[in-house]
Amino acid sequence: MDAARKSASAEAGARMDSALNQSMMQLLDHVEYRLITGGEDLEAIYRLRYNSYRRSGMCGPIAGGMFEDRWDNLPNSYRFGVYFDGHLVSTLRLHYITREHPYSPSVDAYPEILSERLARGETFIDGTRFATDPDLAPAPGVLPFLTLRICMVAYCYFRQTGMFIPIKLEHSAFYSRFFSAKQMTEGKAFPGVIPPLALFEISGNEENFHRILDRLPFFRSTPMEQRLMFGNPAINRLTPLSIVPTAKYYRAAA
């Protein structure tokens, strides 16, 4: 009976993944990622952060209605806006942290986890300041996938040891299910936000990432897309770099 139940559950999961993949591949035709370094687009993502965080109780009132912090302009920082049919729908910031550049909010918030590992030469992506505009979402529940695809492109470019994402514990099931994320800390104070956040790690080993990419092929990307996103953060460039998702071209480029 248990074996039959497990088989039925696996088949249902496979059908759900298939429907998700088909839907996401279609949505990617309308998506544009922008590596944002200045100008009006930068103000727009700061306003989106603020509005999203205020709505969810992540932050209090801020004069000017924009949420930015001291980690935004670091040389190892990458700020992205996700645009659907030309409208900003979400944003995410990544830091590539190494022994030479150990600078990110998670390094400051969780030194007991990160300091020793960075000193050993391990490298990580730190994903923070994830914010969305649910009113502009093309469909329910898709914005996390469209946005976190950036993390998977980063993995394919940097091949880091792992990826850290500080999150509220109520979101842990999503990251565990789709990324096999492991909880590394209890919820604790995190810079700039009100609720405690727990640190979760997504392993950078080949087996884990191949499993994710095989299960969710819309996370795949071509080397050109990877280079456009992460080849040069170009902090001082005023014009944002627009990047089109390349998941549907992956097979031809491989």
Side-chain angles (χ1 to χ4, degrees):
M1 182 67 72
D2 286 343
R5 211 178 287 124
K6 288 181 180 178
S7 177
S9 177
E11 289 177 6
R15 287 195 298 271
M16 290 176 62
D17 286 352
S18 177
L20 174 64
N21 285 321
Q22 184 177 3
S23 175
M24 291 301 300
M25 283 294 193
Q26 293 171 348
L27 290 174
L28 285 180
D29 285 337
H30 301 264
V31 169
E32 169 192 342
Y33 296 109
R34 294 185 193 173
L35 175 59
I36 296 175
T37 57
E40 293 180 358
D41 284 310
L42 188 57
E43 294 183 0
I45 67 169
Y46 290 162
R47 279 193 292 270
L48 174 56
R49 280 184 195 171
Y50 176 70
N51 292 334
S52 175
Y53 285 9
R54 282 288 286 156
R55 184 169 49 241
S56 62
M58 290 282 285
C59 75
I62 298 174
M66 291 192 288
F67 189 111
E68 56 183 307
D69 61 39
R70 64 187 179 87
W71 295 279
D72 273 314
N73 289 300
L74 295 177
N76 64 328
S77 171
Y78 300 80
R79 293 163 298 193
F80 289 96
V82 181
Y83 293 76
F84 191 88
D85 285 341
H87 299 287
L88 177 63
V89 295
S90 65
T91 181
L92 179 69
R93 183 184 65 197
L94 302 182
H95 288 87
Y96 178 52
I97 50 177
T98 66
R99 180 165 48 198
E100 293 73 28
H101 294 93
Y103 313 117
S104 80
S106 290
V107 173
D108 288 358
Y110 312 101
E112 72 279 12
I113 299 295
L114 282 164
S115 296
E116 183 177 342
R117 296 180 67 178
L118 287 169
R120 290 201 301 261
E122 296 185 48
T123 60
F124 302 98
I125 293 293
D126 184 21
T128 57
R129 303 317 185 210
F130 176 26
T132 66
D133 185 344
D135 294 334
L136 294 177
V142 301
L143 289 184
F145 292 108
L146 292 177
T147 311
L148 294 171
R149 183 178 176 275
I150 298 169
C151 296
M152 304 305 296
V153 178
Y155 166 76
C156 293
Y157 182 80
F158 290 110
R159 297 289 174 165
Q160 73 281 350
T161 306
M163 184 176 302
F164 286 111
I165 302 180
I167 60 173
K168 292 192 285 189
L169 282 171
E170 55 260 41
H171 298 156
S172 62
F174 171 85
Y175 289 92
S176 297
R177 177 185 175 190
F178 290 103
F179 299 97
S180 299
K182 304 297 183 184
Q183 184 175 349
M184 305 301 290
T185 71
E186 297 300 319
K188 60 182 293 188
F190 192 83
V193 298
I194 294 172
L197 302 183
L199 188 67
F200 279 71
E201 180 178 4
I202 302 171
S203 171
N205 68 58
E206 292 284 335
E207 180 181 355
N208 187 46
F209 270 84
H210 281 306
R211 183 193 62 78
I212 296 170
L213 294 174
D214 288 344
R215 180 183 179 187
L216 304 172
F218 59 86
F219 279 151
R220 294 186 179 276
S221 58
T222 63
M224 178 176 288
E225 182 183 1
Q226 297 157 23
R227 288 192 299 270
L228 287 172
M229 279 196 175
F230 298 104
N232 180 7
I235 288 297
N236 295 318
R237 186 180 58 239
L238 293 180
T239 304
L241 178 62
S242 296
I243 303 139
V244 175
T246 58
K248 68 180 180 181
Y249 304 116
Y250 176 82
R251 222 175 262 282

